[in-house]
Amino acid sequence: MNDSIIFYRSFMEAASELPAEEYKEAVSAVLAYGLDGTEPESLSPYAKMFFLLAKPQIDANNARREAGRRGG
């Protein structure tokens, strides 16, 4: 569980191309994953695509955070 995540401008720019409902679904999925580690169970195709593109960056940021906590 994290208290914050990095939400990149590129995430916002990509999501802004989605219709309002899919935008909400996609951004909510990314935030839930980044803050709580909760992977979405089902997403619309475009929201899933957005999530899958953002997930590796969130994972890399979390790994860096953990390394920093351990003094790395």
Side-chain angles (χ1 to χ4, degrees), residues 20-71:
E21 277 303 309
E22 288 184 331
Y23 177 91
K24 180 181 175 183
E25 183 182 20
V27 171
S28 294
V30 166
L31 292 174
Y33 182 71
L35 294 171
D36 299 325
T38 305
E39 291 211 34
E41 292 184 20
S42 65
L43 294 172
S44 66
Y46 287 123
K48 183 175 182 177
M49 180 178 63
F50 179 79
F51 175 77
L52 292 174
L53 290 170
K55 185 179 184 285
Q57 186 63 56
I58 294 168
D59 291 342
N61 291 346
N62 287 341
R64 255 184 255 125
R65 177 185 285 135
E66 271 306 305
R69 285 182 183 151
R70 289 179 270 148

Side-chain angles (χ1 to χ4, degrees), residues 2-20:
N2 296 312
D3 291 329
S4 63
I5 68 166
I6 298 171
F7 196 90
Y8 294 95
R9 177 174 296 279
S10 62
F11 292 178
M12 182 192 71
E13 289 171 351
S16 71
E17 298 296 321
L18 297 172

